[in-house]
Amino acid sequence: MKFKPSRLPNLSRCSWLNLSHNWEWLGLSGICIAALILFGLNLGETPLRDWDEGIVASVAREIWRSYENGNHWLYPTINGGQPYWNKPPLVHWLIACSYSWFGINEFSTRIVPAMLSALSVPLLYGIGKEIFTDSKAVVFSTLVYLTLLPVARHGRLAMLDGAIVCFLNLTVWCLLRSRRHLRNLLGVGLGLGLICLTKGIMMGLLLGAILILFLAWDCPRLLKNSWFWQAIIIGIIPVLLWYGLQYLRYGQAFLGISLGDQTFSRIWSSVNERQGAPWYYLLEILKYTFPWLLFLPGGILTAFTYRSSSWAKLALVWSGVYLVTISLMATKLPWYIFPIYPALSLLIGVNLAKIWHSGRRYPIIWSQILRLSKTETARTGVPQAIIFIILSLACYLASIWFGLVSSPPDYNLLLVLGIMALTLTIATVMLLRQSRQFIVTLFIGLYVALLLFFSGFHWVWELAEAYPVKPIAAMLKQATPSQQIIYTSYPYHRPSLNFYSDRVIIPTSHEELINYWQQEQSIYFLIEPSLSEQLHLEGRHVLGTVDHWQLITKKNCSTNCY
């Protein structure tokens, strides 16, 4: 798509936006370096969070331990040898390799998913180069994707979703290039195979269906080409082989859990009571995509206007079909929305490029928010500036609260919120002056704020939802035998505690605790000190107390269990 040339003078200080063919590699290299720094900063200074990070790390460690024992790496396990059927083990294999290079720690656990997430940034740049004729739309889309908080934060975690988006961007990029060179179809099959080996067949089917719908609308001739289907078959052969090996080893039980309970059943029933309203993911987008969210409606409107263009077809099918599909699923988890962010970034980038070229005429969609579309002020950036003023005031107040009012003061949040407030303030002034440089200001300010945010420990905010596990895990490792099963009164599983302690900790009701105490000779409980008195556990021996949690056993076990 093409936009009208800007009526503002060309500013030499922003000449990096006008990438010529000879200098394009320099701009792409800068984007890659910025992505590597943002996704790789401070990975090892924050503990792993519960659920996915703890589970992924535990599976990868058992793969690493059993690597020399024949073909055990093909059959992943968890909790001391229990079969792991939740997801295929591609990322777990890569993390196990990382363990052999860097040891077992937070950095080696997160570095592989983080680098795959960083790789998704230049891949999105490549997608933009295939569908946009305007270099600014390419650069803006890539930088929006890089500076989206959910992308930067979630991509750094030891989870599977950053890898999924990386492989998805690879698949889309190869698919777009295959319209000119059919040999790129092999990349399409490879990408879909990697997706299936990362998060299972259902994710591969969903994303593959989105790509087929796009081709049916934009380039149906590829669907009739036998090479397309041959490439997909080649890509999924390793997937079928892995699933076949699991079936031969475990039989029908594997299919019932892996493809049943852990995959397709999530469509019509919630897993672990993770349900939500159909608009659950819309709220996730609203909560975490500011300030770029303000430019999304204009991007959607532009896509509908240019819906005969390939970029519009791709962005609309990608974002629309995926959002509707996961919204209709019964299981709702925040990270399910991750694969939609590249498509939203394309829409936002198009709108920013349109603003850059439009001079003093900013999109009317903003003015409609405040019912000012018929006035001159609607075309001067005042409505946008009002929204930015509100956001900047909120950041100023929050920075004052965390830096001056709260005790103890949190200087990391003070700096992060202060940078955000200053960025929005400068952007507001530029909007009122009708300067398109507010776009550059937002990119720079958001990137710096994210760097500061990730340099602290708040970026894994889920750690504040429960007690710290590392001190308790150290106590468990010191006072209990290896691979020991420990029963706890805490009501939920803590996979991160299992990982750090290298023990199996099972949540147990009070009645079950009493029964185990009476029936077992060698028993270990992790409970609150007051609960041990309340349950009248006779003959108990306290092995340690950390953070209001007490490790107890029977007196005879404390001397004979080692």
Side-chain angles (χ1 to χ4, degrees):
M1 65 180 290
K2 294 184 178 181
F3 300 104
K4 295 181 179 179
S6 172
R7 288 184 283 180
L8 292 180
N10 185 24
L11 302 178
S12 59
R13 66 178 179 272
C14 291
S15 59
W16 62 277
L17 292 173
N18 302 306
L19 297 176
S20 65
H21 180 73
N22 294 331
W23 291 92
E24 183 178 352
W25 67 269
L26 184 60
L28 180 57
S29 299
I31 289 174
C32 292
I33 293 172
L36 289 174
I37 294 174
L38 187 64
F39 285 95
L41 178 67
N42 199 30
L43 290 176
E45 300 302 319
T46 308
L48 302 179
R49 76 177 197 179
D50 275 326
W51 297 109
D52 287 61
E53 278 203 307
I55 292 173
V56 168
S58 297
V59 174
R61 182 173 59 188
E62 296 207 11
I63 291 174
W64 173 75
R65 286 174 172 171
S66 63
Y67 182 75
E68 296 180 355
N69 298 328
N71 59 358
H72 287 187
W73 60 276
L74 278 173
Y75 309 100
T77 58
I78 193 172
N79 295 334
Q82 297 296 320
Y84 177 74
W85 295 336
N86 193 349
K87 295 292 185 292
L90 175 59
V91 172
H92 309 80
W93 289 339
L94 297 176
I95 295 176
C97 294
S98 176
Y99 286 164
S100 66
W101 299 330
F102 305 112
I104 300 177
N105 51 61
E106 290 87 355
F107 173 81
S108 59
T109 303
R110 291 182 174 134
I111 185 62
V112 170
M115 291 302 98
L116 288 174
S117 299
L119 179 59
S120 70
V121 177
L123 286 173
L124 185 67
Y125 181 93
I127 292 173
K129 290 292 293 182
E130 293 295 324
I131 58 178
F132 294 132
T133 58
D134 181 17
S135 63
K136 294 175 182 60
V138 179
V139 174
F140 288 158
S141 298
T142 307
L143 293 180
V144 167
Y145 177 73
L146 176 64
T147 54
L148 277 172
L149 173 61
V151 172
R153 187 188 89 95
H154 213 80
R156 294 162 47 86
L157 296 172
M159 299 178 65
L160 310 181
D161 303 273
I164 287 292
V165 174
C166 176
F167 300 147
L168 174 59
N169 285 356
L170 172 65
T171 305
V172 174
W173 180 57
C174 291
L175 183 67
L176 294 172
R177 291 178 61 85
S178 67
R179 297 179 301 180
R180 300 192 310 272
H181 305 290
L182 291 177
R183 62 178 178 270
N184 290 288
L185 288 172
L186 287 176
V188 177
L190 173 64
L192 288 176
L194 293 174
I195 290 171
C196 292
L197 279 175
T198 301
K199 214 164 186 182
I201 290 178
M202 186 181 73
M203 180 60 74
L205 290 175
L206 172 58
L207 299 180
I210 291 174
L211 298 182
I212 290 176
L213 288 175
F214 163 68
L215 284 180
W217 189 6
D218 182 67
C219 190
R221 63 179 177 84
L222 273 182
L223 295 178
K224 301 176 183 178
N225 194 306
S226 61
W227 286 21
F228 175 79
W229 300 104
Q230 290 173 16
I232 292 180
I233 292 174
I234 292 174
I236 65 173
I237 284 177
V239 182
L240 298 177
L241 287 176
W242 184 81
Y243 274 92
L245 288 174
Q246 307 309 303
Y247 178 74
L248 291 176
R249 185 180 182 92
Y250 299 114
Q252 194 68 29
F254 166 76
L255 297 180
I257 294 178
S258 178
L259 296 181
D261 296 342
Q262 296 294 338
T263 304
F264 292 103
S265 65
R266 296 181 180 228
I267 299 175
W268 53 80
S269 62
S270 62
V271 175
N272 297 326
E273 299 182 355
R274 296 281 187 165
Q275 66 271 8
W279 53 85
Y280 175 89
Y281 293 111
L282 288 176
L283 295 178
E284 288 293 308
I285 295 174
L286 289 173
K287 286 190 295 183
Y288 297 117
T289 57
F290 274 99
W292 299 129
L293 178 66
L294 298 175
F295 306 94
L296 180 58
I300 296 174
L301 182 62
T302 303
F304 275 105
T305 303
Y306 293 91
R307 57 185 174 273
S308 59
S309 302
S310 291
W311 72 265
K313 295 174 183 177
L314 176 64
L316 291 175
V317 171
W318 188 345
S319 59
V321 174
Y322 187 81
L323 179 61
V324 170
T325 302
I326 62 174
S327 296
L328 293 177
M329 290 176 57
T331 300
K332 299 289 194 302
L333 292 168
W335 45 90
Y336 282 4
I337 192 66
F338 201 172
I340 204 175
Y341 288 121
L344 298 186
S345 300
L346 295 175
L347 293 170
I348 295 169
V350 163
N351 195 27
L352 291 175
K354 185 177 180 180
I355 294 170
W356 185 269
H357 288 297
S358 63
R360 296 175 60 88
R361 297 174 59 191
Y362 290 107
I364 298 299
I365 188 67
W366 289 349
S367 62
Q368 291 174 345
I369 297 176
L370 297 180
R371 306 291 187 182
L372 295 174
S373 59
K374 296 183 179 180
T375 68
E376 180 62 25
T377 58
R379 296 189 295 274
T380 62
V382 172
Q384 309 93 283
I386 292 175
I387 298 175
F388 277 21
I389 288 172
I390 295 173
L391 292 175
S392 62
L393 286 176
C395 289
Y396 278 123
L397 293 175
S399 63
I400 292 172
W401 172 265
F402 287 110
L404 302 176
V405 178
S406 65
S407 181
D410 194 321
Y411 296 112
N412 179 255
L413 287 181
L414 171 65
L415 285 174
V416 172
L417 294 169
I419 290 294
M420 280 300 303
L422 182 61
T423 299
L424 293 171
T425 301
I426 297 174
T428 300
V429 174
M430 290 182 171
L431 277 170
L432 294 175
R433 296 179 62 183
Q434 290 290 279
S435 172
R436 59 185 180 178
Q437 304 304 320
F438 80 91
I439 299 175
V440 180
T441 300
L442 288 177
F443 283 135
I444 296 175
L446 285 173
Y447 184 79
V448 173
L450 286 173
L451 285 178
L452 291 172
F453 184 52
F454 295 144
S455 66
F457 58 89
H458 292 291
W459 66 277
V460 191
W461 54 68
E462 293 86 356
L463 295 176
E465 296 175 355
Y467 61 86
V469 298
K470 295 187 76 172
I472 297 176
M475 176 182 67
L476 298 182
K477 292 185 71 172
Q478 182 179 4
T480 63
S482 178
Q483 301 295 325
Q484 175 66 44
I485 295 178
I486 302 168
Y487 300 98
T488 180
S489 58
Y490 192 75
Y492 305 110
H493 281 282
R494 301 292 308 273
S496 61
L497 181 58
N498 288 12
F499 171 74
Y500 282 116
S501 66
D502 203 7
R503 272 67 174 163
V504 181
I505 294 89
I506 302 176
T508 311
S509 66
H510 294 179
E511 293 76 11
E512 290 175 319
L513 288 174
I514 296 174
N515 291 335
Y516 284 136
W517 188 264
Q518 295 173 348
Q519 297 173 7
E520 302 290 339
Q521 294 298 321
S522 176
I523 194 76
Y524 291 88
F525 286 175
L526 179 66
I527 60 178
E528 303 93 330
S530 59
L531 184 60
S532 62
E533 297 287 346
Q534 178 183 341
L535 296 181
H536 304 291
L537 303 178
E538 300 296 334
R540 64 182 179 273
H541 176 67
V542 178
L543 298 176
T545 302
V546 175
D547 290 340
H548 308 292
W549 287 93
Q550 194 174 76
L551 177 65
I552 67 172
T553 186
K554 289 185 176 181
K555 288 184 178 180
N556 60 340
C557 178
S558 65
T559 58
N560 300 325
C561 61
Y562 285 96

